[in-house]
Amino acid sequence: MKLNLSNLRFLRTRKSFIFQTRAMTQNPDPKPDPSKVVDDLLCSEQRDGQIEETVDAVAASLGSPSRVLSIDTRVERAWAHWKKLGRPKYIVAPMVDNSELPFRLLCQKYGAQAAYTPMLHSRIFTETEKYRNQEFTTCKEDRPLFVQFCANDPDTLLEAAKRVEPYCDYVDINLGCPQRIARRGNYGAFLMDNLPLVKSLVEKLAQNLNVPVSCKIRIFPNLQDTLKYAKMLEDAGCSLLAVHGRTRDEKDGKKFRADWSAIKEVKNALRIPVLANGNVRCIEDVDNCIKETGVEGVLSAETLLENPAAFAGFRTAEWVSDNEEEGFVDGGLDQGDLVVEYLKLCEKHPVPWRMIRSHVHKMLGEWFRIHPQVREQFNAQNILTFEFLYGLVDQLRELGGRVPLYKKKKIDTLTPQESPQRI
C-alpha cells in the first residue's frame, strides 16, 4: 500500500529517509519578542530541491486493527509486540519541546532503549502543515518510538494518528499532563474527570490503527479509582500503559515522591505491559523501581534533561555527594561533551532553536552556576548559531571548573582520550 505524504517533506540520503522541517517564517504577534521569533526558526535552512515522495506504509506486527479481537488475543498481541521490540527497560519520557529527535538519539547513544516524542496537539497536527513539519521528525535509527498526542476528540485523534502510524511503534495518548494549559484545552490529566471520553479515544484508535495504542496516565488519590481507570483503558484496547506515580495535583517532582506501591498495584491488576514514571535520578533507581513494582521498564524525564547519559550509569555530582561511600570516580565524560554531541546531531537533524536553547540551559546549568557571566552572555544572545554555541562550550572550558559526570568504580569508565571531541 502507498501512503501519499503530501503533508510531510522527505530528504533522501544514502542511508534513509529523514523527516525534514521548514522554518517558521511568520508570527501572528504584530510586536513579537525577537528572541522568541528566531528561536522558532529551524537551526538549518530548508534545502533546495526537496520533493514530495510516497513511501510504503508497512503494517505493524499487530496485523489488523483490534476491533474484531477478543481481550485474550489483544493481550497476547500486546506482549508479542513488546517482546519483538526487545522489551526496552530504559525509556525517554515525553517532554514538550525537549524529547525531539536529536535529544532522543543522544539518549539512545547513552543507553536509552526507546523514546517518546514530545506531546503533539492532535487538532493542530491535523490542520497545520507547518506544525507537522516542525514538531515531528524522525529517522530510521529512531526506534522503538512512541508518538504521543493530546486530544479530546476521537475523530481528530485518529486523523492525526493515521499520519504517523507508519513511522512509530506505538501511538500514545497523553492522559497525564497536569499543567494549566491542559486544563484550558481539556486534555491530559484533566480528562480524568471524563472517563467515557477517555474510553472513546482509546477505542477509536484501537479499532482503526495497525500499530498498538499506548496511554500515559497519572494516579488518582484513591487507589481503587486508579485500578478501575487502568482496567478500563486495558478493556478499551490499550496495549501498553505508562503510569506516573503522582496525582494530577502533585506537579512538583522534587516536592512529591512518586508512589511506586500504586504503580505495583496497577501492574498486578493488568495483563498488558506496564511502565513506571517517577523518582528516577540514576540507573540504580531504574533497577530498584523495576524490582519493587515488577514493571517492564521505566521512563525518565527531568534527570535526562540535565544528564542524557544517565541510562549509561553516569551521575551528576548532585547524586554522588550522598553516596560517596559507594566509590564514584570521574567517568571521563562531562556535560560539555554532551552538549557538543547534541549540537552535532542538531546539525544533522534540524530542529527549532528554542529546543536547542532549552537543552543547552539544562545541560550546562551547573557550569553556568560556576560562571554566571557566561550564562548572561548566552541569555542575551537573541540569534543563536552553532558557531556561537560551540564557542560557548570552549569558553567555559577555558575558564576552568570542569564539572565531570561520575560512574561507580566497578563500572568501566571512559578515558579522557575516549571522551567525545568536537571535530
Side-chain angles (χ1 to χ4, degrees), residues 134-147:
Q134 188 161 336
E135 302 302 322
F136 176 56
T137 60
T138 191
C139 64
K140 72 174 186 177
E141 296 84 10
D142 185 29
R143 306 296 280 269
L145 180 65
F146 296 72
V147 177

Side-chain angles (χ1 to χ4, degrees), residues 291-305:
K291 182 178 179 180
E292 288 190 28
T293 63
V295 296
E296 283 292 303
V298 175
L299 281 63
S300 179
E302 290 295 327
T303 294
L304 290 177
L305 289 180

Side-chain angles (χ1 to χ4, degrees), residues 223-283:
L223 176 60
Q224 291 305 311
D225 290 338
T226 300
L227 297 179
K228 290 177 182 177
Y229 183 31
K231 187 62 178 173
M232 180 202 74
L233 294 171
E234 181 180 66
D235 291 342
C238 178
S239 293
L240 179 144
L241 184 64
V243 183
H244 190 144
R246 298 182 177 93
T247 68
R248 186 171 67 191
D249 295 328
E250 294 174 337
K251 299 174 187 156
D252 189 343
K254 294 183 178 180
K255 182 178 179 181
F256 300 102
R257 296 285 291 168
D259 187 350
W260 284 0
S261 64
I263 298 175
K264 179 180 180 179
E265 293 296 327
V266 172
K267 163 62 181 175
N268 291 339
L270 298 189
R271 300 170 62 188
I272 59 175
V274 175
L275 307 177
N277 187 195
N279 300 351
V280 172
R281 304 164 299 178
C282 57
I283 193 67

Side-chain angles (χ1 to χ4, degrees), residues 67-107:
R67 57 180 172 268
V68 297
L69 303 178
S70 67
I71 180 65
D72 289 340
T73 302
R74 284 195 281 111
V75 168
E76 181 181 346
R77 289 195 171 194
W79 278 104
H81 185 70
W82 184 246
K83 291 174 182 177
K84 182 179 179 181
L85 297 178
R87 302 179 75 157
K89 293 197 305 182
Y90 309 138
I91 302 166
V92 181
M95 295 172 278
V96 174
D97 275 357
N98 281 144
S99 58
E100 81 291 353
L101 176 59
F103 187 73
R104 295 195 299 268
L105 294 177
L106 179 63
C107 292

Side-chain angles (χ1 to χ4, degrees), residues 160-416:
K162 283 286 190 180
R163 294 178 185 269
V164 302
E165 180 180 24
Y167 316 106
C168 65
D169 300 285
Y170 290 91
V171 172
D172 186 79
I173 305 175
N174 182 323
L175 300 172
C177 180
Q179 303 303 323
R180 282 179 293 179
I181 190 172
R183 181 192 293 274
R184 292 196 302 268
N186 188 33
Y187 60 79
F190 297 95
L191 294 185
M192 295 167 78
D193 298 328
N194 189 349
L195 296 188
L197 174 56
V198 171
K199 182 180 179 181
S200 69
L201 292 171
V202 178
E203 288 178 335
K204 190 71 171 183
L205 294 192
Q207 294 172 6
N208 292 279
L209 294 181
N210 287 314
V211 295
V213 181
S214 61
C215 298
K216 188 170 185 292
I217 66 170
R218 285 187 171 237
I219 61 175
F220 281 94
N222 180 278
L223 176 60
Q224 291 305 311
D225 290 338
T226 300
L227 297 179
K228 290 177 182 177
Y229 183 31
K231 187 62 178 173
M232 180 202 74
L233 294 171
E234 181 180 66
D235 291 342
C238 178
S239 293
L240 179 144
L241 184 64
V243 183
H244 190 144
R246 298 182 177 93
T247 68
R248 186 171 67 191
D249 295 328
E250 294 174 337
K251 299 174 187 156
D252 189 343
K254 294 183 178 180
K255 182 178 179 181
F256 300 102
R257 296 285 291 168
D259 187 350
W260 284 0
S261 64
I263 298 175
K264 179 180 180 179
E265 293 296 327
V266 172
K267 163 62 181 175
N268 291 339
L270 298 189
R271 300 170 62 188
I272 59 175
V274 175
L275 307 177
N277 187 195
N279 300 351
V280 172
R281 304 164 299 178
C282 57
I283 193 67
E284 289 79 10
D285 287 339
V286 174
D287 297 334
N288 290 336
C289 180
I290 292 174
K291 182 178 179 180
E292 288 190 28
T293 63
V295 296
E296 283 292 303
V298 175
L299 281 63
S300 179
E302 290 295 327
T303 294
L304 290 177
L305 289 180
E306 184 178 358
N307 173 21
F311 284 145
F314 290 92
R315 292 192 185 196
T316 59
E318 178 183 6
W319 302 116
V320 171
S321 58
D322 295 333
N323 300 276
E324 291 179 352
E325 69 279 3
E326 296 182 37
F328 287 88
V329 296
D330 185 335
L333 181 73
D334 60 45
Q335 284 142 310
D337 296 326
L338 294 174
V339 167
V340 169
E341 290 194 71
Y342 172 69
L343 293 176
K344 289 180 181 179
L345 288 167
C346 290
E347 290 187 273
K348 184 177 181 181
H349 306 286
V351 294
W353 283 110
R354 70 175 188 276
M355 298 181 183
I356 299 173
R357 185 183 292 273
S358 175
H359 281 299
V360 172
H361 260 298
K362 286 283 188 180
M363 282 189 265
L364 294 180
E366 190 62 34
W367 297 44
F368 285 152
R369 281 188 281 275
I370 298 173
H371 303 291
Q373 74 279 12
V374 182
R375 179 181 59 217
E376 292 172 6
Q377 177 185 344
F378 177 46
N379 290 339
Q381 188 74 17
N382 287 336
I383 301 176
L384 293 180
T385 65
F386 288 111
E387 181 180 8
F388 171 81
L389 293 172
Y390 286 129
L392 196 75
V393 176
D394 291 340
Q395 182 181 356
L396 287 168
R397 293 197 186 285
E398 291 169 1
L399 289 171
R402 173 179 175 268
V403 183
L405 294 172
Y406 295 87
K407 268 194 166 185
K408 283 187 175 180
K409 286 182 179 179
K410 67 179 182 179
I411 302 176
D412 292 337
T413 58
L414 293 172
T415 66

